[in-house]
Amino acid sequence: NAISLDGETWATNVIDPVGGWQGGGGYIDGVYLSAGGNGAARYSTDDGATWQPAQTGTSAHRRYVISGEDRVIALGDAVNGSDSWVSVTTDGMTWESTLIEDLELVRGAYGNGVFVAHSAATASTYDYAFSADGVNWTPINAFSPNTHLTSLGFHDGQFILRSDNSS
């Protein structure tokens, strides 16, 4: 584990590894945070010098963390084959998790006031959805059911996706 303020100089081994691996990191209102294995989370209020443990409210792995304007969400492994948990924090320290039924969302991006997410490369069906609050998700039905996104991002005012097929 490492942190950097400039991308060139890095401090390593700064996060206490107790609680398992961390799948992604974010930042909100002066708080750095991460979430990962078995729903474990960490947060730092001193620019990463020390980290405190937290829980996302689910035991599902949190693999991707997405920072929005006033909240951060964590997505991860599917449960029950086609459902997923979304974990949301507005302060970086306390989390609430909600089960999203019939949508397997694990990766995403934020921009223009909305979160957009999609399913994993290994999903049996490919799901896409958007949300203003990270809790309530609306399916996106603009793609063929077999369209598989390989990457999703937000840049210069627009969401950009890359697919490995032309469907």
Side-chain angles (χ1 to χ4, degrees), residues 32-90:
Y32 289 93
L33 60 97
S34 64
N38 299 316
R42 295 271 188 257
Y43 67 91
S44 173
T45 58
D46 57 8
D47 292 329
T50 61
W51 292 80
Q52 303 302 315
Q55 271 296 325
T56 60
T58 176
S59 61
H61 294 328
R62 311 288 71 211
R63 296 189 185 276
Y64 297 93
V65 175
I66 307 151
S67 296
E69 287 179 33
D70 64 349
R71 65 197 60 226
V72 176
I73 70 170
L75 300 169
D77 290 355
V79 293
N80 304 326
S82 64
D83 303 333
S84 55
W85 286 95
V86 61
S87 303
V88 179
T89 181
T90 56

Side-chain angles (χ1 to χ4, degrees), residues 57-146:
T58 176
S59 61
H61 294 328
R62 311 288 71 211
R63 296 189 185 276
Y64 297 93
V65 175
I66 307 151
S67 296
E69 287 179 33
D70 64 349
R71 65 197 60 226
V72 176
I73 70 170
L75 300 169
D77 290 355
V79 293
N80 304 326
S82 64
D83 303 333
S84 55
W85 286 95
V86 61
S87 303
V88 179
T89 181
T90 56
D91 65 7
M93 297 173 270
T94 57
W95 294 80
E96 288 190 32
S97 290
T98 303
L99 183 66
I100 306 169
E101 295 182 353
D102 300 321
L103 286 173
E104 182 183 337
L105 304 175
V106 298
R107 295 181 182 170
Y110 178 84
N112 292 339
V114 296
F115 295 94
V116 175
H118 66 90
S119 57
T122 57
S124 57
T125 61
Y126 301 119
D127 295 324
Y128 312 93
F130 69 94
S131 173
D133 62 8
V135 176
N136 300 293
W137 291 83
T138 302
I140 298 171
N141 297 313
F143 309 108
S144 165
N146 63 344

